[in-house]
Coordinates of all heavy atoms in Angstrom, one line a residue:
M1300 N -59.7 30.9 -35.7 CA -60.8 31.0 -36.6 C -61.3 29.5 -36.9 O -60.6 28.7 -37.4 CB -60.4 31.6 -37.9 CG -61.4 31.7 -39.0 SD -62.4 33.2 -38.8 CE -63.9 32.7 -39.6
G1301 N -62.5 29.2 -36.5 CA -63.0 27.9 -36.7 C -63.7 27.8 -38.1 O -63.9 28.8 -38.8
G1302 N -64.0 26.6 -38.5 CA -64.7 26.3 -39.7 C -64.0 26.4 -41.0 O -64.6 26.4 -42.0
R1303 N -62.7 26.5 -40.9 CA -61.9 26.5 -42.1 C -61.9 25.1 -42.7 O -61.2 24.2 -42.2 CB -60.5 27.0 -41.8 CG -59.7 27.4 -43.1 CD -58.4 28.1 -42.7 NE -58.6 29.5 -42.3 CZ -57.9 30.2 -41.5 NH1 -56.8 29.6 -41.0 NH2 -58.1 31.4 -41.3
K1304 N -62.6 24.9 -43.8 CA -62.8 23.6 -44.3 C -61.6 23.0 -45.0 O -61.3 21.9 -44.9 CB -64.0 23.6 -45.3 CG -65.3 23.8 -44.5 CD -66.5 23.4 -45.4 CE -67.8 23.4 -44.7 NZ -68.1 24.7 -44.0
K1305 N -60.9 23.8 -45.8 CA -59.7 23.3 -46.4 C -58.7 24.5 -46.5 O -59.1 25.7 -46.5 CB -59.9 22.7 -47.7 CG -60.6 23.7 -48.7 CD -60.8 23.0 -50.1 CE -61.4 23.9 -51.1 NZ -61.7 23.3 -52.3
E1306 N -57.5 24.1 -46.6 CA -56.4 25.2 -46.7 C -56.5 25.8 -48.1 O -56.8 25.2 -49.1 CB -55.0 24.6 -46.5 CG -54.8 24.1 -45.1 CD -54.9 25.2 -44.1 OE1 -54.1 26.2 -44.2 OE2 -55.7 25.2 -43.2
C1307 N -56.3 27.1 -48.1 CA -56.3 27.9 -49.4 C -55.0 27.6 -50.1 O -53.9 27.8 -49.5 CB -56.5 29.3 -49.1 SG -56.4 30.3 -50.6
P1308 N -55.0 27.2 -51.4 CA -53.8 27.0 -52.1 C -53.0 28.3 -52.4 O -51.8 28.2 -52.7 CB -54.2 26.3 -53.4 CG -55.6 26.7 -53.6 CD -56.2 26.9 -52.2
N1309 N -53.6 29.4 -52.2 CA -53.0 30.7 -52.5 C -52.5 31.4 -51.2 O -52.0 32.5 -51.3 CB -53.9 31.6 -53.2 CG -54.4 31.0 -54.6 OD1 -53.6 30.4 -55.3 ND2 -55.6 31.2 -54.9
Q1310 N -52.7 30.7 -50.1 CA -52.5 31.4 -48.8 C -51.1 32.0 -48.6 O -51.0 33.2 -48.2 CB -52.8 30.4 -47.6 CG -52.9 31.1 -46.3 CD -51.7 31.2 -45.5 OE1 -50.7 30.4 -45.8 NE2 -51.6 32.0 -44.5
Q1311 N -50.1 31.3 -49.0 CA -48.7 31.8 -48.8 C -48.4 33.0 -49.7 O -47.9 34.0 -49.2 CB -47.7 30.7 -49.1 CG -46.3 31.1 -48.6 CD -45.4 29.9 -48.4 OE1 -45.8 28.8 -48.5 NE2 -44.1 30.3 -48.2
E1312 N -48.8 32.9 -50.9 CA -48.6 34.0 -51.8 C -49.4 35.2 -51.4 O -49.0 36.3 -51.4 CB -49.0 33.6 -53.3 CG -48.6 34.6 -54.3 CD -49.1 34.2 -55.7 OE1 -49.4 33.0 -55.9 OE2 -49.1 35.1 -56.6
N1313 N -50.7 35.0 -51.0 CA -51.5 36.1 -50.5 C -50.9 36.8 -49.3 O -50.9 38.0 -49.2 CB -52.9 35.6 -50.1 CG -53.8 35.1 -51.3 OD1 -53.5 35.5 -52.4 ND2 -54.8 34.3 -51.0
R1314 N -50.4 35.9 -48.4 CA -49.8 36.4 -47.2 C -48.5 37.3 -47.5 O -48.3 38.3 -46.9 CB -49.4 35.2 -46.3 CG -49.1 35.6 -44.9 CD -48.7 34.3 -44.1 NE -48.2 34.7 -42.8 CZ -48.9 34.9 -41.8 NH1 -50.2 34.6 -41.8 NH2 -48.4 35.3 -40.6
E1315 N -47.8 36.8 -48.5 CA -46.6 37.6 -48.8 C -46.9 39.0 -49.4 O -46.2 39.9 -49.3 CB -45.7 36.8 -49.8 CG -44.9 35.7 -49.2 CD -44.4 34.7 -50.2 OE1 -44.4 35.0 -51.4 OE2 -44.0 33.6 -49.7
N1316 N -48.1 39.0 -50.1 CA -48.5 40.3 -50.7 C -49.4 41.1 -49.8 O -49.9 42.2 -50.3 CB -49.2 40.0 -52.0 CG -48.2 39.4 -53.1 OD1 -47.1 39.8 -53.1 ND2 -48.7 38.4 -53.8
C1317 N -49.8 40.6 -48.7 CA -50.7 41.3 -47.8 C -50.1 42.5 -47.1 O -49.1 42.4 -46.5 CB -51.2 40.4 -46.7 SG -52.4 41.1 -45.6
P1318 N -50.7 43.7 -47.3 CA -50.1 44.9 -46.8 C -50.6 45.2 -45.3 O -50.2 46.2 -44.7 CB -50.6 46.0 -47.7 CG -52.0 45.5 -48.1 CD -51.8 44.0 -48.2
C1319 N -51.3 44.3 -44.7 CA -51.9 44.6 -43.4 C -50.8 44.5 -42.3 O -50.0 43.6 -42.3 CB -52.9 43.5 -43.1 SG -53.7 43.8 -41.5
T1320 N -50.8 45.6 -41.5 CA -49.7 45.7 -40.4 C -50.2 45.1 -39.1 O -49.5 45.2 -38.1 CB -49.3 47.1 -40.3 OG1 -50.4 48.0 -40.0 CG2 -48.6 47.6 -41.6
W1321 N -51.5 44.6 -39.0 CA -52.0 44.1 -37.8 C -51.3 42.7 -37.6 O -51.3 41.8 -38.4 CB -53.5 43.9 -37.9 CG -54.1 43.5 -36.6 CD1 -54.5 42.2 -36.2 CD2 -54.5 44.3 -35.5 NE1 -55.0 42.2 -35.0 CE2 -55.0 43.5 -34.5 CE3 -54.4 45.7 -35.3 CZ2 -55.5 44.0 -33.3 CZ3 -54.8 46.2 -34.1 CH2 -55.4 45.4 -33.1
R1322 N -50.7 42.6 -36.4 CA -49.9 41.3 -36.1 C -50.9 40.2 -35.6 O -51.9 40.5 -35.1 CB -48.9 41.5 -35.1 CG -47.7 42.4 -35.6 CD -46.8 42.8 -34.4 NE -45.9 43.8 -34.9 CZ -44.6 43.7 -34.8 NH1 -44.0 42.6 -34.3 NH2 -43.9 44.7 -35.2
D1323 N -50.4 39.0 -35.7 CA -51.1 37.9 -35.1 C -52.6 37.7 -35.6 O -53.4 37.3 -34.8 CB -51.2 38.0 -33.6 CG -49.8 38.1 -33.0 OD1 -48.9 37.4 -33.6 OD2 -49.6 38.7 -32.0
C1324 N -52.8 38.0 -36.9 CA -54.2 37.8 -37.4 C -54.2 36.4 -38.1 O -53.4 36.2 -39.0 CB -54.5 38.9 -38.4 SG -56.1 38.5 -39.2
D1325 N -55.1 35.6 -37.7 CA -55.1 34.2 -38.3 C -55.8 34.2 -39.7 O -55.9 33.1 -40.3 CB -55.8 33.2 -37.3 CG -57.2 33.5 -37.1 OD1 -57.8 34.5 -37.6 OD2 -57.9 32.6 -36.4
K1326 N -56.3 35.3 -40.1 CA -56.9 35.4 -41.4 C -55.9 35.9 -42.5 O -56.3 35.9 -43.7 CB -58.1 36.3 -41.4 CG -59.2 35.8 -40.5 CD -60.4 36.8 -40.5 CE -61.4 36.4 -39.5 NZ -60.9 36.5 -38.1
K1327 N -54.8 36.2 -42.1 CA -53.8 36.8 -43.1 C -53.5 35.7 -44.2 O -53.1 34.6 -43.9 CB -52.5 37.2 -42.4 CG -51.8 38.2 -43.1 CD -50.7 38.9 -42.3 CE -51.4 40.0 -41.4 NZ -50.5 40.9 -40.8
G1328 N -53.7 36.1 -45.4 CA -53.6 35.2 -46.5 C -54.8 34.5 -46.9 O -54.9 33.9 -48.0
Y1329 N -55.8 34.5 -46.0 CA -57.1 33.8 -46.3 C -58.0 35.0 -46.6 O -58.9 35.4 -45.8 CB -57.6 33.0 -45.1 CG -56.7 31.9 -44.8 CD1 -55.8 31.9 -43.8 CD2 -56.9 30.7 -45.5 CE1 -55.0 30.9 -43.5 CE2 -56.0 29.6 -45.2 CZ -55.1 29.7 -44.2 OH -54.3 28.6 -43.9
C1330 N -57.9 35.5 -47.9 CA -58.6 36.7 -48.3 C -60.1 36.6 -48.2 O -60.8 37.6 -47.8 CB -58.1 37.1 -49.6 SG -56.3 37.4 -49.7
C1331 N -60.6 35.4 -48.5 CA -62.1 35.3 -48.4 C -62.6 35.5 -47.0 O -63.6 36.2 -46.7 CB -62.5 33.9 -48.8 SG -61.9 33.3 -50.3
E1332 N -61.9 34.9 -46.0 CA -62.2 35.1 -44.6 C -62.0 36.5 -44.1 O -62.8 37.0 -43.3 CB -61.5 34.1 -43.8 CG -61.9 32.7 -44.0 CD -61.2 31.7 -43.1 OE1 -60.6 32.1 -42.1 OE2 -61.2 30.5 -43.5
C1333 N -60.9 37.1 -44.5 CA -60.6 38.5 -44.2 C -61.7 39.4 -44.6 O -62.2 40.2 -43.9 CB -59.3 38.8 -44.8 SG -58.8 40.5 -44.7
L1334 N -62.1 39.3 -45.9 CA -63.1 40.1 -46.5 C -64.5 39.9 -45.8 O -65.1 40.9 -45.4 CB -63.2 39.9 -48.0 CG -64.2 40.8 -48.7 CD1 -63.8 42.2 -48.7 CD2 -64.3 40.3 -50.2
K1335 N -64.8 38.7 -45.6 CA -66.1 38.3 -45.0 C -66.2 38.9 -43.5 O -67.2 39.5 -43.1 CB -66.3 36.8 -44.9 CG -67.7 36.4 -44.5 CD -67.9 35.0 -44.9 CE -67.2 34.0 -44.0 NZ -67.5 32.6 -44.3
S1336 N -65.1 38.8 -42.8 CA -65.0 39.2 -41.5 C -65.2 40.8 -41.4 O -65.9 41.3 -40.6 CB -63.7 38.8 -40.8 OG -63.3 39.6 -39.9
H1337 N -64.4 41.5 -42.2 CA -64.5 42.9 -42.2 C -65.9 43.4 -42.7 O -66.4 44.4 -42.2 CB -63.3 43.5 -43.0 CG -62.1 43.5 -42.2 ND1 -61.9 44.4 -41.1 CD2 -61.0 42.8 -42.2 CE1 -60.7 44.1 -40.5 NE2 -60.1 43.1 -41.2
L1338 N -66.4 42.8 -43.8 CA -67.7 43.3 -44.3 C -68.8 43.1 -43.3 O -69.7 43.9 -43.2 CB -68.1 42.5 -45.6 CG -67.3 42.9 -46.9 CD1 -67.7 41.9 -48.0 CD2 -67.5 44.3 -47.3
S1339 N -68.7 42.1 -42.5 CA -69.7 41.8 -41.5 C -69.7 42.9 -40.4 O -70.7 43.1 -39.7 CB -69.5 40.5 -40.8 OG -68.4 40.5 -39.9
R1340 N -68.6 43.7 -40.3 CA -68.5 44.8 -39.4 C -68.6 46.2 -40.1 O -68.2 47.2 -39.6 CB -67.2 44.7 -38.6 CG -67.1 43.4 -37.7 CD -66.0 43.5 -36.7 NE -64.7 43.7 -37.3 CZ -63.9 42.7 -37.6 NH1 -64.2 41.4 -37.2 NH2 -62.7 42.9 -38.1
K1341 N -69.1 46.1 -41.3 CA -69.1 47.3 -42.2 C -67.7 48.0 -42.3 O -67.5 49.2 -42.2 CB -70.1 48.4 -41.6 CG -71.6 47.9 -41.6 CD -72.5 49.0 -41.3 CE -74.0 48.7 -41.2 NZ -74.5 47.5 -41.8
E1342 N -66.8 47.1 -42.6 CA -65.4 47.5 -42.8 C -64.9 46.9 -44.1 O -65.5 46.0 -44.7 CB -64.5 47.0 -41.7 CG -64.8 47.6 -40.3 CD -64.0 47.0 -39.2 OE1 -63.4 45.9 -39.4 OE2 -64.1 47.5 -38.1
L1343 N -63.7 47.4 -44.5 CA -63.0 46.8 -45.7 C -61.6 46.3 -45.2 O -61.1 46.8 -44.1 CB -62.8 47.8 -46.8 CG -64.1 48.2 -47.5 CD1 -63.9 49.4 -48.4 CD2 -64.6 47.0 -48.4
P1344 N -61.0 45.4 -45.9 CA -59.7 44.9 -45.5 C -58.6 45.9 -45.6 O -58.8 46.9 -46.3 CB -59.4 43.7 -46.4 CG -60.7 43.4 -47.1 CD -61.5 44.7 -47.1
A1345 N -57.5 45.7 -45.0 CA -56.3 46.5 -45.0 C -55.9 47.0 -46.5 O -55.6 48.1 -46.7 CB -55.1 45.9 -44.4
C1346 N -56.0 46.0 -47.4 CA -55.5 46.2 -48.8 C -56.4 47.2 -49.5 O -56.0 47.7 -50.6 CB -55.4 44.9 -49.5 SG -56.9 43.9 -49.5
A1347 N -57.5 47.6 -48.9 CA -58.4 48.6 -49.6 C -57.9 50.1 -49.3 O -58.5 51.0 -49.9 CB -59.9 48.4 -49.2
F1348 N -57.0 50.2 -48.4 CA -56.6 51.5 -47.9 C -55.1 51.9 -48.3 O -54.3 51.0 -48.3 CB -56.7 51.6 -46.4 CG -58.1 51.5 -45.9 CD1 -58.7 50.2 -45.6 CD2 -59.0 52.6 -45.8 CE1 -60.0 50.0 -45.2 CE2 -60.3 52.4 -45.4 CZ -60.8 51.2 -45.1
P1349 N -54.8 53.1 -48.5 CA -53.4 53.6 -48.6 C -52.7 53.3 -47.3 O -53.3 53.3 -46.2 CB -53.5 55.1 -49.0 CG -54.9 55.5 -48.6 CD -55.8 54.3 -48.5
S1350 N -51.4 53.1 -47.4 CA -50.6 52.7 -46.2 C -50.8 53.6 -45.0 O -50.8 53.1 -43.8 CB -49.2 52.4 -46.5 OG -48.6 53.6 -47.0
D1351 N -50.8 54.9 -45.2 CA -50.9 55.7 -44.0 C -52.2 55.6 -43.3 O -52.3 55.6 -42.0 CB -50.7 57.2 -44.4 CG -51.6 57.7 -45.4 OD1 -52.0 56.9 -46.4 OD2 -52.0 58.9 -45.4
V1352 N -53.3 55.3 -44.0 CA -54.6 55.1 -43.4 C -54.7 53.7 -42.8 O -55.2 53.5 -41.8 CB -55.7 55.4 -44.4 CG1 -57.1 55.1 -43.8 CG2 -55.6 56.8 -45.0
E1353 N -54.1 52.7 -43.5 CA -54.1 51.3 -43.1 C -53.5 51.3 -41.7 O -54.1 50.6 -40.8 CB -53.3 50.5 -44.0 CG -53.4 49.0 -43.8 CD -52.5 48.5 -42.6 OE1 -51.4 49.0 -42.4 OE2 -53.0 47.6 -41.9
R1354 N -52.5 52.0 -41.4 CA -51.8 52.0 -40.1 C -52.7 52.5 -38.9 O -52.3 52.3 -37.8 CB -50.5 52.7 -40.1 CG -49.4 52.0 -40.8 CD -48.0 52.6 -40.6 NE -47.9 54.0 -41.2 CZ -47.6 54.2 -42.4 NH1 -47.3 53.2 -43.2 NH2 -47.5 55.5 -42.9
S1355 N -53.7 53.2 -39.3 CA -54.6 53.7 -38.2 C -55.6 52.6 -37.7 O -56.2 52.8 -36.7 CB -55.5 54.9 -38.8 OG -56.5 54.4 -39.6
Y1356 N -55.7 51.5 -38.5 CA -56.6 50.4 -38.2 C -58.0 50.8 -38.2 O -58.9 50.0 -37.8 CB -56.2 49.7 -36.9 CG -54.8 49.2 -36.9 CD1 -53.9 49.5 -35.8 CD2 -54.3 48.4 -37.9 CE1 -52.6 49.0 -35.8 CE2 -53.0 47.9 -37.9 CZ -52.2 48.3 -36.9 OH -50.8 47.8 -36.9
D1357 N -58.3 51.9 -38.7 CA -59.7 52.3 -38.9 C -60.1 51.8 -40.3 O -59.7 52.4 -41.3 CB -59.9 53.8 -38.8 CG -61.4 54.2 -39.1 OD1 -62.2 53.3 -39.4 OD2 -61.7 55.4 -39.0
R1358 N -60.8 50.7 -40.4 CA -61.1 50.1 -41.7 C -62.6 50.3 -42.0 O -63.2 49.5 -42.8 CB -60.8 48.5 -41.6 CG -59.4 48.2 -41.0 CD -58.8 47.2 -41.8 NE -57.5 46.6 -41.2 CZ -56.4 47.3 -41.2 NH1 -56.3 48.5 -41.7 NH2 -55.3 46.7 -40.6
S1359 N -63.2 51.2 -41.4 CA -64.7 51.5 -41.6 C -65.0 52.0 -43.1 O -64.1 52.6 -43.7 CB -65.2 52.5 -40.6 OG -64.6 53.8 -40.9
F1360 N -66.2 51.7 -43.5 CA -66.7 52.2 -44.8 C -66.5 53.7 -44.8 O -66.2 54.3 -45.8 CB -68.1 51.9 -45.0 CG -68.4 50.4 -45.3 CD1 -69.7 49.9 -45.3 CD2 -67.4 49.5 -45.7 CE1 -70.0 48.6 -45.6 CE2 -67.7 48.2 -46.0 CZ -69.0 47.7 -45.9
E1361 N -66.9 54.3 -43.7 CA -66.8 55.8 -43.6 C -65.4 56.3 -43.9 O -65.2 57.3 -44.6 CB -67.3 56.3 -42.2 CG -68.7 56.2 -41.9 CD -69.1 54.7 -41.5 OE1 -68.3 53.8 -41.3 OE2 -70.3 54.5 -41.2
R1362 N -64.4 55.6 -43.3 CA -63.0 56.1 -43.5 C -62.6 55.9 -44.9 O -61.9 56.7 -45.5 CB -62.1 55.3 -42.5 CG -60.7 55.7 -42.6 CD -60.6 57.2 -42.0 NE -59.2 57.7 -42.1 CZ -58.3 57.6 -41.1 NH1 -58.7 57.1 -39.9 NH2 -57.1 58.1 -41.2
F1363 N -63.1 54.8 -45.5 CA -62.8 54.6 -47.0 C -63.4 55.7 -47.8 O -62.7 56.2 -48.7 CB -63.4 53.2 -47.4 CG -63.1 52.8 -48.8 CD1 -61.9 52.2 -49.2 CD2 -64.1 53.1 -49.8 CE1 -61.7 51.9 -50.5 CE2 -63.8 52.7 -51.1 CZ -62.6 52.2 -51.5
V1364 N -64.6 56.0 -47.6 CA -65.3 57.1 -48.4 C -64.6 58.4 -48.1 O -64.3 59.2 -49.1 CB -66.8 57.1 -48.0 CG1 -67.4 58.4 -48.6 CG2 -67.5 55.9 -48.5
K1365 N -64.3 58.7 -46.9 CA -63.6 59.9 -46.5 C -62.2 60.0 -47.3 O -61.9 61.0 -47.8 CB -63.4 60.0 -45.0 CG -63.4 61.4 -44.5 CD -63.8 61.4 -43.0 CE -62.6 61.4 -42.1 NZ -63.0 61.4 -40.7
T1366 N -61.5 58.9 -47.2 CA -60.2 58.9 -47.8 C -60.2 59.1 -49.4 O -59.5 60.0 -49.9 CB -59.5 57.5 -47.6 OG1 -59.4 57.4 -46.2 CG2 -58.1 57.4 -48.2
Y1367 N -61.0 58.3 -50.0 CA -61.0 58.4 -51.5 C -62.0 59.5 -52.0 O -61.8 59.9 -53.1 CB -61.4 57.0 -52.1 CG -60.2 56.1 -51.9 CD1 -60.2 55.1 -51.0 CD2 -59.1 56.2 -52.7 CE1 -59.2 54.2 -50.8 CE2 -58.0 55.4 -52.5 CZ -58.0 54.4 -51.6 OH -57.0 53.6 -51.4
G1368 N -62.9 59.9 -51.2 CA -63.7 61.1 -51.6 C -62.8 62.3 -51.7 O -63.0 63.2 -52.6
R1369 N -61.8 62.4 -50.9 CA -60.9 63.5 -50.8 C -59.8 63.3 -51.9 O -59.5 64.2 -52.6 CB -60.3 63.6 -49.4 CG -59.7 65.0 -49.2 CD -59.1 65.2 -47.8 NE -59.8 64.4 -46.7 CZ -59.1 63.4 -46.0 NH1 -57.9 63.1 -46.2 NH2 -59.8 62.8 -45.1
R1370 N -59.2 62.1 -51.9 CA -58.0 61.9 -52.8 C -58.4 61.5 -54.2 O -57.5 61.6 -55.1 CB -57.2 60.8 -52.2 CG -56.6 61.1 -50.8 CD -55.8 59.9 -50.3 NE -55.4 60.2 -49.0 CZ -54.6 59.5 -48.3 NH1 -54.0 58.4 -48.9 NH2 -54.3 59.7 -47.0
G1371 N -59.6 60.9 -54.4 CA -59.9 60.5 -55.7 C -59.3 59.2 -56.1 O -58.5 58.6 -55.3
Ligands
LIG2084 S1 -57.3 43.2 -42.8 FE1 -58.1 42.3 -40.9 S2 -58.6 40.2 -41.2 FE2 -57.4 40.9 -43.0 S3 -55.3 40.3 -42.4 FE3 -55.6 42.4 -41.6 S4 -56.3 42.2 -39.5 FE4 -56.5 40.2 -40.5

């Protein structure tokens, strides 16, 4: 990921609390970049989904609406 101007002071703590199961992601712990990247693809980050849905790696808005429309 280019253009990272400065290291995030919260990166390590964010990383420890990140529920994302996708390996080798260079945005892990950099929540601003993670969110920006997923929003640009009409997706949400891993932490927006329950763990069973997160593991599908379908992070689309549609999947989010489908998941919470049903579960509340
Ligand atoms: S949700 Fe996406 S950008 Fe964020 S840590 Fe997981 S794979 Fe990386």
Side-chain angles (χ1 to χ4, degrees):
M1300 179 85 204
R1303 191 171 282 154
K1304 289 194 173 59
K1305 59 179 180 183
E1306 291 298 301
C1307 174
N1309 301 322
Q1310 194 265 345
Q1311 190 160 352
E1312 189 184 342
N1313 289 343
R1314 197 181 169 90
E1315 284 164 13
N1316 294 321
C1317 178
C1319 184
T1320 58
W1321 187 263
R1322 290 170 193 238
D1323 300 329
C1324 174
D1325 67 353
K1326 296 179 188 64
K1327 205 163 279 191
Y1329 295 98
C1330 302
C1331 310
E1332 293 183 15
C1333 171
L1334 183 61
K1335 192 162 74 178
S1336 150
H1337 281 288
L1338 287 177
S1339 75
R1340 297 195 298 266
K1341 296 190 183 341
E1342 295 173 348
L1343 289 167
C1346 54
F1348 295 91
S1350 59
D1351 57 325
V1352 180
E1353 189 282 322
R1354 284 192 297 273
S1355 75
Y1356 302 129
D1357 180 356
R1358 313 223 189 284
S1359 65
F1360 288 167
E1361 287 82 2
R1362 186 65 183 267
F1363 180 83
V1364 169
K1365 210 156 96 182
T1366 299
Y1367 288 103
R1369 199 178 329 117
R1370 298 181 188 190

